[in-house]
Each structure stands twice: as structure tokens, then as C-alpha cells.
Amino acid sequence: EVQLVESGGGLVQPGGSLRLSCAVSGFTFNDYEMNWVRQAPGKGLEWLSYISTHGSTIYYADSAKGRFTISRNNPKNTLYLQMNSLRVDDTAIYYCARQDRREVVAGQNLDFWGQGILVTVSS
Amino acid sequence: QSALTQPASVSGSPGQSITISCTGTSSDIGGYDYISWYQQHPAKAPKLLIYDVSNRPSGVSDRFSGSKSGNTASLTISGLQAEDEADYYCSSYTDSGTLVLFGGGTKLTVL
């Protein structure tokens, strides 16, 4: 069974940092591209970042550029999102999502999602 | 960069069909066939319904279908069921900047 489990969320002050992890199981992690997507409370989905199977290609949304860093550790079957200089408007549920191997562009055809982890940025 | 435009809400009765539109530009929906649709029930993670405009992943009911015309993509749900009540999001590749756009979401109410 495919599983993605996020961790590392919580309450952080503005300007602070957090590192989210996404532990995966049930599939061969290093065969799949991965993404992070977030959802502010009561709002829609926002794509944040993409990483290729071995990390050689990475993309970010404008809202994440310069502050967030995506990475992966394939032997540990884990995806990461390092978030720095956090702002109040980064408050959201953060999802990791697997991208179907047949998809040729980043960020589409996200076929399995984690349950999400809440990040709250507040003083 | 603006999100794709979806109606805020749609409704239908059990057994009916409804269509949710998703309007973009020639830089995204109109220019490429990389469009996905997701269903999200309250407090749950999104679920992939449609990819690459009109393809259904294994396990997704054939009551869900996708299409595209010009700069507008559409999701049609036929034979509405109570369990279809959820939020629906479209997503598209874009060649202008951010790579991925989502629609603002459409709340489907089954009357």
C-alpha cells in the first residue's frame, strides 16, 4: 500500500524556520518525482515545489523561491521541505504528493498525497 | 500569477450530471494538454480524478470525465451521488513563470 506521512509541522514565530519531512512506503521512492503543495485555512491548493527522482531538477513557485528548499534522501525514502523566513501567510496545511511516472511535466498528475501537516506561523 | 478560474459552487440532484469549468489562458489550459482534476472531501487530502485532460487513473469511477475546449477545461460528473459532495480543483501546467496553476476550487453540493 502506498503511504506518504508528513511530519515536522507546528507553531513557529514569524521569521522562524521549520523542516517538514515526508516518509514514504509501498513504492520504490527513487523511481518517482515528488512535489509539495499547501492549502491555507479555508483556501484553495497552491503548488510549492517539485523535485526529480534523484534531485537533479528542482522547481519552485514564486512564493517559495529563496525561502524554501526541497530535497530528498532516497535511501531513507524521505522527502523534505526546509522552510526559512516564515511569514504569517505561510500558515497552511502542507502536503507531499507523488507524481505519476508517466507525467512529463512537473506538478501534474499527482496520484498519491499524504494526509497533510499543519504549519502555523504566529507570534 | 492568477489562478485558474472556477465557479465557486455548483449543485445538482442525485442522478443528474453537472459540469465544472476551469478557465485559463493560452499559456496554460489553451496551450497544453497537462490538466489535472482533484476531489477533496472536508479535512481530507486531495484525490486525483483526471490527468492529462481526460484520462482517469485506475480505480476512479467512469462517472468522472474531463475535456477541454480552447482555454477552458471541464470536469463532468454523471449520475451524481451523495458521496460526490466535495471540493473540486483543476490544475494546469503553465509556461509563464510558476509552472503549475490551480483553480480556486468549486464546492459541489448534492441536493
Side-chain angles (χ1 to χ4, degrees):
Chain A
E1 179 191 6
V2 171
Q3 287 195 319
L4 297 85
V5 180
E6 300 94 340
S7 61
L11 175 64
V12 61
Q13 292 189 335
S17 297
L18 275 179
R19 187 176 83 155
L20 304 182
S21 299
C22 171
V24 312
S25 59
F27 64 99
T28 303
F29 182 54
N30 59 18
D31 282 348
Y32 287 85
E33 300 145 287
M34 299 293 295
N35 293 262
W36 286 98
V37 177
R38 72 181 178 183
Q39 186 171 34
K43 302 296 185 182
L45 300 172
E46 178 188 14
W47 174 81
L48 288 176
S49 186
Y50 157 95
I51 187 167
S52 59
T53 54
H54 295 281
S56 58
T57 300
I58 286 173
Y59 300 115
Y60 296 102
D62 289 344
S63 57
K65 278 178 191 170
R67 299 188 302 127
F68 294 1
T69 302
I70 192 172
S71 62
R72 63 192 296 161
N73 185 323
N74 285 344
K76 291 189 175 181
N77 291 334
T78 304
L79 174 72
Y80 302 101
L81 186 68
Q82 176 67 42
M83 303 188 295
N84 299 329
S85 303
L86 283 162
R87 307 187 296 232
V88 171
D89 63 358
D90 292 318
T91 295
I93 295 173
Y94 286 72
Y95 296 99
C96 59
R98 190 184 85 167
Q99 184 167 314
D100 188 288
R101 285 192 292 180
R102 293 166 293 185
E103 192 53 70
V104 299
V105 297
Q108 293 300 312
N109 198 351
L110 304 182
D111 62 354
F112 282 93
W113 296 60
Q115 84 286 354
I117 191 80
L118 178 62
V119 171
T120 303
V121 185
S122 175
S123 54
Chain B
Q1 198 149 8
S2 300
L4 305 172
T5 300
Q6 298 181 233
S9 63
V10 298
S11 62
S13 299
Q16 287 186 330
S17 294
I18 63 95
T19 296
I20 299 172
S21 62
C22 173
T23 301
T25 69
S26 58
S27 294
D28 37 76
I29 290 176
Y32 304 91
D33 288 338
Y34 302 120
I35 299 162
S36 303
W37 287 90
Y38 301 91
Q39 176 192 60
Q40 187 180 33
H41 287 106
K44 297 292 188 182
K47 173 188 174 184
L48 178 67
L49 291 178
I50 298 288
Y51 68 94
D52 295 350
V53 178
S54 59
N55 294 292
R56 273 188 313 275
S58 173
V60 172
S61 171
D62 60 5
R63 297 188 300 107
F64 296 92
S65 61
S67 62
K68 186 185 91 166
S69 177
N71 293 339
T72 298
S74 298
L75 173 71
T76 298
I77 309 173
S78 60
L80 268 181
Q81 299 178 0
E83 68 222 43
D84 298 333
E85 188 161 290
D87 294 326
Y88 292 83
Y89 294 91
C90 60
S91 175
S92 176
Y93 168 80
T94 175
D95 63 17
S96 53
T98 197
L99 284 187
V100 181
L101 292 176
F102 276 100
T106 298
K107 181 176 179 58
L108 169 62
T109 300
V110 180
L111 302 170

